[in-house]
Structure formats: C-alpha cells, structure tokens
Amino acid sequence: MNELVTRVADKVGMAPDTAEMAVGMMLGFLQREADDAAVARMIESIPGAPELVARFNGEGQGGGGLLGGLMASFGGGVMALGQQLMSLGLGMGEITSLAKETIKVAREHAGDETVDTVVASVPGLSQFV
C-alpha cells in the first residue's frame, strides 16, 4: 500500500481497501475533470497515484477500470463524485477528510501551484478541500 492510501486510511479512519478505492476514484475524477496538464503533473508526482487511477477509475476519458461504469451512471461533477464515494459507505465528513488529505499529499509532491490549478479548474471543488 502506498503512502497516500495509508495516510488517508489513518487520517479518515477507514479500512485500507476502502481508502485505496476512494483515493483511486477521487484521482480518476480529477483526471477527467481538471486541467489536463496540471492534473497529469499532479498524479504523476504522487507515488502510486497513476496505478490507483488505472485500477479503480480507468485511464483517460471514459476509461473502464473496476468502477469506471459506476461513475458514468452518476453523471459528472463534484456531486457525482460524492455519490460515488457514498456508494462505498462513506459519509460527508469522511469524504471531506478524504479530499483534504488527498490534496494535502498532492501539495507535498506536486507543489501548491500545480494543485491550485487543478482545484481551480473543477467547479465546486474548492469548497471541499
């Protein structure tokens, strides 16, 4: 298990396998919705993040992955991601903690400028991170 998943599991208080899926879903959402160049830099800079995205949310636009079809059924946007994460049994407090810890780790690896570009490019995301 990578550093990001371990930190999220510990900080949010969730099982490591759930944290792994949730982080993969969140990063996959960002890959689809955020500024392409900035999110690519961010994901590549976090150890293990590209593998999580590929495993749990497919790669690129419309990727399959384990849960790729689930995301399509919810539509798009931050609210759709919330619904997807709730389907894992997470509550709003856990989702907010997940988002904040994921962004915190991203800042440590990719830097503030890159992460700020990612967050600013997704409508509504800033209120959760």
Side-chain angles (χ1 to χ4, degrees), residues 33-110:
E33 301 288 330
D35 176 83
D36 289 341
V39 79
R41 282 191 308 272
M42 185 183 88
I43 290 172
E44 286 297 322
S45 72
I46 303 168
E51 294 80 11
L52 287 173
V53 172
R55 185 169 170 208
F56 293 105
N57 245 359
E59 292 188 44
Q61 298 291 335
L66 178 65
L67 299 167
L70 180 61
M71 187 63 183
S73 70
F74 288 123
V78 172
M79 296 308 293
L81 175 62
Q83 288 295 320
Q84 186 182 20
L85 294 170
M86 283 184 219
S87 75
L88 294 178
L90 303 180
M92 283 309 296
E94 292 167 314
I95 292 170
T96 301
S97 294
L98 163 73
K100 288 180 179 184
E101 194 63 25
T102 300
I103 293 299
K104 183 177 178 182
V105 172
R107 288 185 187 287
E108 292 169 11
H109 290 281

Side-chain angles (χ1 to χ4, degrees), residues 12 27 51 58 105 109 122 126:
V12 180
L27 293 174
E51 294 80 11
V105 172
H109 290 281
V122 179
S126 63

Side-chain angles (χ1 to χ4, degrees), residues 1-8 20 23 46-52:
M1 188 170 13
N2 68 42
E3 170 200 359
L4 174 56
V5 172
T6 301
R7 282 180 56 179
V8 167
E20 186 177 52
V23 170
I46 303 168
E51 294 80 11
L52 287 173

